[in-house]
């Protein structure tokens, strides 16, 4: 009996030791404590995930294309790389990055500065819900993150499977032409709406497509 109790105590200790960490979508382990109080989002979707879990007060900077940004948030540009001097001035204790949309060199530089970086790369709706939970934990809003994830998944059950299976194309950027591949969560979203994506067979999150190839489709 004593051995069983000791084993349970040890197991509980191991779980507690790992409760203060999580892994992002590329497998990097991050500490969840202390909760982030100054957060920079490097993509609209990561900023909107943070807002969805009630972390708007901690958001200090995000891309201008983000929907529903609070007025006090600094608008930043990320295409072609981030302004490193501005990042240092903002003094973030957490950066929310898009793994396939932000430059790896920028992410590595921020980590070298001692900044926690969470890389988001959801491939489907379930993983997008996991992003809500993770960002909620990092922002000190675990309950709201869990609630947002559950509400999000519940809404998917009311999707539109009766829609005709039309083919669609998503344009991220016009010049150069930048689009999504099959490893992006939007494919899953389109499937819920009864649609199929033009480049679903491409094993990338996002990629540049030549004009000739695009016009041929």
């Amino acid at each position: 009996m004593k051995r069983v109790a000791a084993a349970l105590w040890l197991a509980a200790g191991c779980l507690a030791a790992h409760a203060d960490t999580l892994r992002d979508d590329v497998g990097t382990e991050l500490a969840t404590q202390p909760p982030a109080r100054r957060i920079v989002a490097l993509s609209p979707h990561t900023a909107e995930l943070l807002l969805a879990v009630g972390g708007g007060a901690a958001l200090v900077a995000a891309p201008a294309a983000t929907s529903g940004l609070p007025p006090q948030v600094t608008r930043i540009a990320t295409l072609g790389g981030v302004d490193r001097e501005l990042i240092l001035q903002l003094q973030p204790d957490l950066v929310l990055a898009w793994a396939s949309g932000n430059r790896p060199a920028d992410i590595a530089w921020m980590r070298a500065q001692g900044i926690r970086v969470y890389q988001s790369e959801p491939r489907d709706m379930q993983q997008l819900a996991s992003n809500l939970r993770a960002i909620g934990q990092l922002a000190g809003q675990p309950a709201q993150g869990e609630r947002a994830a559950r509400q999000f998944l519940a809404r998917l059950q009311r999707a539109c499977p009766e829609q005709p299976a039309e083919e669609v194309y998503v344009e991220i950027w016009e010049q150069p032409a930048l689009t999504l591949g099959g490893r992006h969560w939007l494919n899953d979203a389109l499937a819920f709406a009864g649609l199929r994506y033009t480049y679903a067979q491409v094993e990338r999150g996002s990629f540049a497509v030549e004009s000739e190839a695009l016009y041929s489709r």
Side-chain angles (χ1 to χ4, degrees):
M1 187 67 179
K2 288 183 179 179
R3 289 181 178 177
V4 173
L8 290 173
W9 179 86
L10 183 60
C14 290
L15 288 173
H18 287 84
D20 290 340
T21 63
L22 56 79
R23 291 188 181 277
D24 65 14
D25 288 347
V26 299
T28 302
E29 189 173 61
L30 289 85
T32 60
Q33 300 298 323
R37 293 293 177 259
R38 294 185 60 81
I39 303 174
V40 170
L42 298 184
S43 72
H45 90 268
T46 56
E48 289 162 15
L49 290 173
L50 178 63
L51 295 175
V53 302
L59 183 61
V60 296
T66 306
S67 298
L69 277 181
Q72 74 277 9
V73 175
T74 299
R75 274 61 171 172
I76 59 174
T78 59
L79 188 65
V82 300
D83 183 337
R84 297 185 179 186
E85 183 176 349
L86 177 59
I87 294 294
L88 291 176
Q89 291 174 358
L90 292 168
Q91 298 182 319
D93 52 11
L94 175 67
V95 168
L96 302 176
W98 178 19
S100 65
N102 297 129
R103 293 175 58 187
D106 286 334
I107 293 171
W109 173 82
M110 285 182 281
R111 287 211 172 103
Q113 308 308 308
I115 302 171
R116 279 183 293 176
V117 180
Y118 176 88
Q119 293 191 75
S120 170
E121 191 68 22
R123 298 186 182 184
D124 54 36
M125 299 293 97
Q126 290 289 339
Q127 199 169 4
L128 195 54
S130 295
N131 276 200
L132 285 165
R133 294 187 178 99
I135 292 173
Q137 283 187 274
L138 292 166
Q141 303 280 357
Q144 196 154 340
E146 178 63 32
R147 183 163 54 250
R150 289 179 180 274
Q151 290 174 347
F152 171 71
L153 292 174
R155 291 190 188 105
L156 291 179
Q157 305 311 312
R158 301 192 294 273
C160 312
E162 70 279 1
Q163 289 289 106
E166 296 180 358
E167 183 173 321
V168 297
Y169 171 75
V170 177
E171 179 183 86
I172 300 177
W173 202 257
E174 184 177 7
Q175 291 294 335
L178 187 64
T179 188
L180 305 174
R183 292 175 60 182
H184 194 278
W185 60 266
L186 193 57
N187 290 270
D188 206 22
L190 292 171
F192 273 99
L195 303 172
R196 64 178 185 274
Y197 189 55
T198 301
Y199 289 106
Q201 78 283 1
V202 178
E203 288 295 314
R204 298 281 299 278
S206 61
F207 67 102
V209 56
E210 294 182 0
S211 299
E212 292 79 4
L214 180 57
Y215 294 146
S216 71
R217 300 300 291 267

